[in-house]
Amino acid sequence: MENYRNSPLEISKEEFRKIGYQLIDSVSDFLDSIVKTRVTTGESPEQLKKIIGTLSIPEDGTSPQEIITRAATLLLNHSLLNGHPRFLGYITASPAPIGALADLLATAVNPNVGANILSPIATEIEKQTVKWLAELIGVSPSYGGLLVSGGNMANFTAFLTARSVKAPKNIKEDGISNATRKLVVYCPLTTHTWIEKAAVLFGLGSNAIRWIKTDPANRMDIEALEQAILSDLKDGYKPLLAVGNAGDVSTGVIDNLAGIASICKKYDLWFHVDGAYGLPAIVVPELKPLFKGIEEADSIALDPHKWLYSPLEAGCVLVKDPNHLIQTYSFHPAYYNFDTNNGAQNYYEYGLQNSRGFREFKVWLILQQAGRSGYEKMISQDIQLSKLLFEKAKSHSELEGITQNLSITTFRYVPRNYVGNTEKDDTYLNSLNEELLNELQRGDEVFLSNAVVNGK
Ligand SMILES: Cc1ncc(COP(=O)(O)O)c(C=O)c1O
C-alpha cells in the first residue's frame, strides 16, 4: 500500500529486512560465544552514564539502522549476562533463545491480550499455556489463571483473590478498614518479601503477618501454625490465608504442603503456594513426593522466567476455581464492549491489568521446544550440578557447605586454620563473606548471590 502518511516511525520492508538480518547475525554470534565472554564488565553507574551520554531527548529522529547497530553494540558489550554458564546467582535462569524469536514475532503482531476480540488467537494460546503449566506441575488442568510479570505479581494476584473470597462479603463496597474482624495471614519465616509488600499495599498492614517459625529442616512448623491460628481466633481476628513455599527463595526448602493444606481446610483459610522458583522440580519423579499437597492449593505462583528458562518477564498464577479470579477482578466499564456470551475469555477480568502484552507466547514456544521430558532432563542436571558444588564446598579446606536443596547450594568461606565459634566470630565471617561476594559480583569470573542461613 502507498505510504501516504510518511510517519517518522516507518521502516520500509527492505530496510526492516536488512536491519533485522544484521541484528539476527549479531544475536546469533552473541549466543554462540557467550561462554567466551565475561559474566559482567563490572562497570560502575558513573562509567555507564558516560558511555550512554547525558544528552537530552533528541529533537529530531535518527535512522533505525544506526540506532539498532548502536544499541546492539551497547547491550552486547556492557551487560551482565545471566545466560552465562558462570552466572550462578539468584534465580534468573538462562533464557531459552527461542524466547527472543518469540518476542520479535509477538511484538510485531502486538495483540492486546486483555480482551478476546483484540487477541483471538493469543487468548487461546494463553489458555493453553496456563493449562500446560498446570499439567506440567501435576495439578488438575481445570485450574485457571494467567500470565503476569513475575513472582511478586503472581503472589499479589493470588493474595487479592484470597482477600476477596475469604474476607467478609461487603469488603468490595466497604473496604477492609470497616471489617469487624482484622484480617491476618500466616507464612513461614523463609517467605519472600512479596508478603510484606502485599500486606502493606493491600491494606492489612505488616502487623497482620504471622511469621511462623521453622523446624530444624527449615520448613514451616505446622504445630506453631495451628497454635497461631487458634490464638488469633480466640482474640477475634479473621485468619485469611496461609502460605507454603515450594522452594524458598534463600535455600530452596519445600514446606509440608499437605500439612498446611489440611490446617487450611480445618480452619477455612485460603491455601496459597509460592512455587515461583522451585515448583518446576516436581517434574523429576524422585522429587515429586516432596510437593505432596500442591494439588490442594487454592492458588499457586509459578515463574516461567525462573526455572522454566523463559526470558523475563513471565510469571504465572494458577487458581483452583478460576471463577474466584473473575469474582475479584471483573469490572465492566461502559466504554468496554467485550462480548462474554460466545465463550470468549477476556483476560482483563482475570487480573490487575486491562491492556496486556503477549508474554505467554515465549512460554508457549519454550514449553513446546523442551517438552515435559526436556524439563525433567534440564532440571535434574541443574540439581546434580548444585549437589556437586555442595560436595566440592564440603570437601574444600576453606569452604563450609551449609545447605543443599533443589538447585540451591549455600556455602561460605572460612579461612584456613580459622578457629572460633562465638557469635562475634560469626559477625567477622559474615562481613568477610559479604565483602567477598561484593568483589565477586563486580568481577568477571563468576556471579554468586547470597543467603542468610541461621544468622550465617
Ligand atoms: C519464592 C519466590 N517468590 C517470589 C519471588 C519474586 O519473584 P519476582 O522477582 O519475579 O517478582 C521470588 C524471586 O526470587 C522467589 O524466589
Side-chain angles (χ1 to χ4, degrees), residues 90-92 149-155 190-194 245-250 274-278 301 303 305-306 312 314-315:
Y90 299 110
I91 309 173
T92 317
S149 59
N152 272 275
M153 286 305 292
N155 286 306
T190 49
T191 305
H192 184 275
T193 179
W194 72 263
N245 291 315
D248 85 84
V249 58
S250 294
D274 181 7
Y277 150 62
D303 271 4
H305 74 199
K306 293 193 168 67
L312 297 155

Side-chain angles (χ1 to χ4, degrees), residues 12-13 15 19 22 27 47-48 79-80 88 107 139 156 170 183 212-213 215 238 260 301 313 324 368 399 404:
S12 72
K13 178 176 157 187
E15 197 179 11
I19 303 171
Q22 281 171 0
V27 173
Q47 288 170 307
L48 292 170
S79 292
L80 173 131
L88 309 180
T107 49
V139 298
F156 292 168
N170 63 343
L183 307 174
I212 307 298
K213 68 176 172 143
D215 63 18
K238 165 74 184 152
I260 304 171
E313 299 169 341
H324 286 149
Q368 290 177 64
L399 296 178
Q404 198 293 314

Side-chain angles (χ1 to χ4, degrees), residues 173-186:
E173 295 76 26
D174 298 330
I176 58 166
S177 52
N178 281 328
T180 44
R181 294 165 70 203
K182 273 191 107 172
L183 307 174
V184 284
V185 298
Y186 304 81

